[in-house]
Amino acid sequence: MKTIKKFLCNKRTTLILLILLSIKPLVFSQKISEDKFWTNFTKSPNITLTPTYQTYSIEYDFGNMAVKVGDPPKVQGLEFKKNDADLLLKIYVKGIYVENKKLNETKARNGMRYYYSLSYKAEYGYDLVENKTGKTIYSFERAGGPYDTRDFESRSDLETYMQNALIGDLTKALLSYTQKKVDYDLSEHNYEVRLAASKIEGESDAYKDINKATEEFKNAISGKKISKGTPAPYIQVWEKHLSKADWGNKKSQINKKVANALINNLCAAYLLMEDYTNMKEKSSLFEKNNSGILASLTASPSFEIDGSYTGPSSGYHTIIKNSRPVNVYTPTFIEFSSDLIEK
């Protein structure tokens, strides 16, 4: 009798184990893959000036410094006039002084080299003023930043430079930056950009939906000049799935890893649409959910843009394109969008 009971018990246990093993746990395994590709991006002027205005002139203010200004920056195809123009572009670089400095020593072939890494305060930027009314219609201003001096063979040469030539060099550097900023802000630019389109490998209808949109997005824009509305259908798909993100649950279908991939796709699409408000919103969502001790392990979404770019950037490097080395900048989406909408 005991043998029969033992047999039935073992049989029941085996059956329960088989049932449990046959039930697939609801855990979504994801692996993110990225395809990088080149396309064209048109950055419109930050403000439309034509056809309301046809001409502009320039006024410089360097405080008590004498500075060679060079050719005038471009302003959205307007004609440059020395006087009596529709618009007056006021460029200023003044009030420069060193706030903090740190001495750096590096070994060179012929001995030591010395330079300062410093922070400075300054008033620099530009105002675009309507001559008839005196109204400022656009402006840009900064109040300081970091700067590395030239390097020298001796400490005494470095100190002589700091006393006599630093302010002049820094003024020229800030003028060059401001002139490039005028062109970047006020004229249309066509850039080549390399974007990353993310796919999610895993068994899920949601992933299939996401990946289908990603592949169609890539095919629609690769190497082409597109209309601003082209990315709209793919944005709709990615936004739908991002809205279901469960950032704190690694086992969820749209977990942190998948949500980050969706944000990368959305930022790329919003860039091409010049929808900087939504780009910043998505970038900020990424920053919020990837902060803390491990934040450095997850890079903020970025893109590559050709060497003619003069906007904000986290880095600059050389890549091989069409078998040739080319220089590219790597702005993050959040710094790119913030620069254009935070005025």
Side-chain angles (χ1 to χ4, degrees):
M1 189 70 176
K2 288 182 180 179
T3 303
I4 294 172
K5 285 183 179 179
K6 186 176 180 181
F7 172 77
L8 291 173
C9 182
N10 288 341
K11 189 173 182 180
R12 186 182 302 152
T13 302
T14 303
L15 182 62
I16 291 169
L17 286 171
L18 288 171
I19 292 170
L20 290 173
L21 289 171
S22 68
I23 299 173
K24 292 184 179 180
L26 193 62
V27 176
F28 297 96
S29 176
Q30 312 99 343
K31 183 179 178 182
I32 310 300
S33 63
E34 282 189 347
D35 287 332
K36 289 192 173 183
F37 56 94
W38 289 95
T39 189
N40 295 290
F41 164 57
T42 299
K43 180 196 167 293
S44 301
N46 296 3
I47 181 174
T48 301
L49 301 174
T50 57
T52 305
Y53 309 104
Q54 285 79 45
T55 58
Y56 75 104
S57 58
I58 299 182
E59 177 182 284
Y60 293 96
D61 181 2
F62 301 114
N64 59 359
M65 294 286 295
V67 181
K68 185 178 179 180
V69 297
D71 295 331
K74 298 175 183 177
V75 179
Q76 207 173 122
L78 302 185
E79 179 188 353
F80 174 71
K81 291 179 66 177
K82 287 189 176 180
N83 299 294
D84 301 320
D86 299 329
L87 296 171
L88 176 61
L89 177 63
K90 296 181 175 182
I91 294 177
Y92 56 92
V93 181
K94 55 186 179 178
I96 301 174
Y97 65 91
V98 174
E99 190 175 33
N100 295 294
K101 62 182 181 180
K102 176 188 175 184
L103 179 66
N104 298 285
E105 302 178 8
T106 59
K107 288 184 179 180
R109 183 176 298 177
N110 299 323
M112 298 297 293
R113 305 288 295 185
Y114 303 90
Y115 70 95
Y116 277 116
S117 293
L118 55 89
S119 61
Y120 64 89
K121 290 293 185 182
E123 298 174 49
Y124 67 101
Y126 69 86
D127 295 313
L128 189 61
V129 179
E130 190 177 59
N131 263 327
K132 282 185 179 179
T133 64
K135 178 184 176 183
T136 299
I137 61 173
Y138 198 83
S139 63
F140 164 79
E141 183 178 13
R142 289 290 183 270
Y147 185 75
D148 285 346
T149 69
R150 288 184 276 150
D151 60 348
F152 295 86
E153 293 181 353
S154 70
R155 287 280 305 275
S156 61
D157 287 345
L158 174 59
E159 296 304 331
T160 299
Y161 168 80
M162 292 292 289
Q163 292 296 322
N164 299 307
L166 169 69
I167 299 302
D169 278 1
L170 190 47
T171 300
K172 292 173 188 176
L174 295 180
L175 171 62
S176 176
Y177 171 78
T178 304
Q179 289 176 319
K180 289 177 180 178
K181 182 66 175 168
V182 168
D183 178 54
Y184 176 74
D185 285 347
L186 303 181
S187 297
E188 179 177 283
H189 292 275
N190 294 301
Y191 298 112
E192 282 194 278
V193 294
R194 186 158 73 157
L195 304 173
S198 300
K199 290 183 179 180
I200 299 94
E201 298 176 15
E203 293 297 322
S204 165
D205 288 340
Y207 302 159
K208 291 176 184 177
D209 195 31
I210 292 167
N211 294 342
K212 181 174 181 289
T214 302
E215 190 62 29
E216 290 177 358
F217 171 69
K218 179 186 170 185
N219 291 337
I221 68 171
S222 292
K224 302 170 185 175
K225 190 169 184 177
I226 62 168
S227 69
K228 299 295 184 188
T230 299
Y234 318 115
I235 285 174
Q236 187 175 7
V237 173
W238 297 325
E239 287 280 20
K240 176 184 71 175
H241 291 290
L242 182 61
S243 68
K244 301 172 185 175
D246 188 349
W247 291 91
N249 184 358
K250 292 182 179 180
K251 296 181 179 180
S252 67
Q253 189 175 36
I254 310 297
N255 62 11
K256 182 177 179 177
K257 188 193 297 184
V258 175
N260 285 344
L262 288 168
I263 287 175
N264 182 69
N265 288 0
L266 284 163
C267 285
Y270 284 131
L271 171 72
L272 298 178
M273 294 184 75
E274 290 198 275
D275 187 342
Y276 305 127
T277 300
N278 270 312
M279 185 197 297
K280 189 188 176 190
E281 179 186 299
K282 293 298 173 288
S283 299
S284 299
L285 182 64
F286 179 95
E287 298 292 322
K288 175 185 175 183
N289 288 284
N290 290 276
S291 59
I293 299 174
L294 301 178
S296 60
L297 300 177
T298 309
S300 185
S302 63
F303 62 100
E304 293 172 319
I305 188 166
D306 67 46
S308 64
Y309 173 72
T310 53
S313 177
S314 292
Y316 178 89
H317 61 271
T318 302
I319 64 170
I320 302 301
K321 181 185 177 188
N322 298 327
S323 302
R324 297 182 63 184
V326 294
N327 296 323
V328 295
Y329 291 93
T330 53
T332 63
F333 287 111
I334 193 163
E335 69 185 340
F336 185 86
S337 57
S338 296
D339 177 69
L340 290 167
I341 65 178
E342 289 182 358
K343 294 295 181 184

